[in-house]
Amino acid sequence: MSDTSPLRRLHRVQELDLNLDRLRDEEGNISPELRDARAEQERLNNALEDTEITLEGVEKNIRRTELDLSSIREQVGRAREEQEKNAFDARAQSQYGSRIQMLSERADELEEDLAPLREQQQALTARAADLRGQHRALRPSLGALEEQDETRVQGLRDQGEADRQERAQLAGNLDARTIREYDMIRRAKKGLGVVEIKAGRCSGCNVNLPVNVQQKAAQGKLPPVKCPSCGRFLIRLDLA
């Protein structure tokens, strides 16, 4: 069987595919520095988002409490005006006085509620500013690492360009149905669609092959002979 036989060309296609698989896998092998920088960016983003959500809730409580306090103060003011205009006896004075005292006590409570909320607001605002500063400080180093990784990935893709071109040429000269079936088998069988017969066994699944299967596979003709166990195409590479 010559090196230009269809089955040997298909085997060469698989060699190229495996190398392209390796290069694609390497694309995902980012450096520890970049991985750590991305993780830190994500941590900062999540922390900032959580801080801003909490801050928004605190500020909403502050606005609501301030509105309530403003309303209570207005009620106190109106009650005092009415007291001056309408309280002509001790009973009326006492009634207005009780109402004013009750409203004033409620205003004091709201003032007390506002103090910790404003402290929390200040702390959260400072926390958000600090996180934004950390995020800004991270950008230059992360950007440089991302650029380095893009260069690395492009280099890997450039390495595979010759293989892609050779594969396209080889596949274009092979039976389209055989190529489609090879691709299906390869996807289903961990990247191997064509396997060698070694010592009478399928090197893909290690099953002992019948003699007639070995003999037919040795002819190297299309359609390729399949392993009766794993369904991969079989080839004999130890023949001249």
Side-chain angles (χ1 to χ4, degrees):
M1 184 169 56
S2 69
D3 286 343
T4 58
S5 68
L7 198 53
R8 281 188 178 267
R9 291 200 297 273
L10 183 60
H11 187 263
R12 174 58 182 165
V13 167
Q14 179 168 268
E15 290 178 341
L16 296 169
D17 283 337
L18 291 172
N19 189 52
L20 291 170
D21 288 345
R22 178 185 62 79
L23 291 174
R24 279 191 291 271
D25 289 342
E26 286 186 21
E27 287 186 21
N29 294 331
I30 64 174
S31 68
E33 294 80 9
L34 177 56
R35 186 179 296 108
D36 291 344
R38 285 176 175 174
E40 177 64 6
Q41 183 188 51
E42 183 176 4
R43 183 193 71 79
L44 290 171
N45 287 338
N46 290 338
L48 180 58
E49 182 180 6
D50 290 343
T51 301
E52 289 178 337
I53 290 172
T54 305
L55 177 58
E56 183 180 355
V58 170
E59 290 177 337
K60 183 177 180 180
N61 286 338
I62 289 175
R63 289 192 297 271
R64 183 172 59 246
T65 304
E66 287 177 338
L67 286 173
D68 290 344
L69 179 58
S70 177
S71 175
I72 293 294
R73 285 172 174 167
E74 288 178 0
Q75 292 178 53
V76 169
R78 286 196 300 270
R80 284 175 176 163
E81 290 177 359
E82 291 174 2
Q83 184 183 38
E84 292 177 1
K85 293 178 180 178
N86 303 322
F88 301 115
D89 54 39
R91 181 180 178 184
Q93 285 284 347
S94 176
Q95 289 176 341
Y96 277 110
S98 296
R99 176 168 174 74
I100 291 169
Q101 182 178 358
M102 180 186 68
L103 290 171
S104 297
E105 289 175 354
R106 177 56 182 156
D108 291 342
E109 291 175 358
L110 292 173
E111 286 281 8
E112 291 176 1
D113 291 342
L114 276 173
L117 286 172
R118 285 170 175 154
E119 289 179 3
Q120 189 179 7
Q121 179 190 35
Q122 291 177 355
L124 289 168
T125 300
R127 170 67 172 161
D130 179 61
L131 289 168
R132 292 190 191 96
Q134 293 181 53
H135 196 282
R136 285 193 298 271
L138 179 64
R139 285 176 191 167
S141 58
L142 177 58
L145 289 169
E146 292 285 8
E147 187 173 340
Q148 291 173 11
D149 193 65
E150 288 175 6
T151 301
R152 178 187 67 86
V153 170
Q154 188 58 52
L156 291 170
R157 292 174 180 173
D158 291 343
Q159 288 181 41
E161 183 57 31
D163 286 354
R164 283 188 287 271
Q165 291 181 6
E166 182 181 353
R167 187 202 190 278
Q169 184 177 6
L170 288 169
N173 291 326
L174 288 168
D175 176 62
R177 180 177 178 180
T178 300
I179 285 291
R180 284 196 300 271
E181 190 170 6
Y182 154 77
D183 286 335
M184 291 175 60
I185 296 171
R186 209 176 83 84
R187 284 194 296 270
K189 299 293 182 179
K190 299 179 180 179
L192 292 177
V194 183
V195 292
E196 186 179 357
I197 298 173
K198 294 183 178 179
R201 292 180 175 275
C202 168
S203 61
C205 65
N206 202 37
V207 73
N208 192 31
L209 297 168
V211 174
N212 67 316
V213 172
Q214 296 181 50
Q215 291 174 341
K216 189 174 180 181
Q219 297 174 12
K221 296 179 180 180
L222 295 181
V225 177
K226 293 183 180 179
C227 171
S229 175
C230 67
R232 294 181 174 95
F233 291 156
L234 295 169
I235 187 172
R236 287 287 299 271
L237 296 176
D238 57 348
L239 298 177

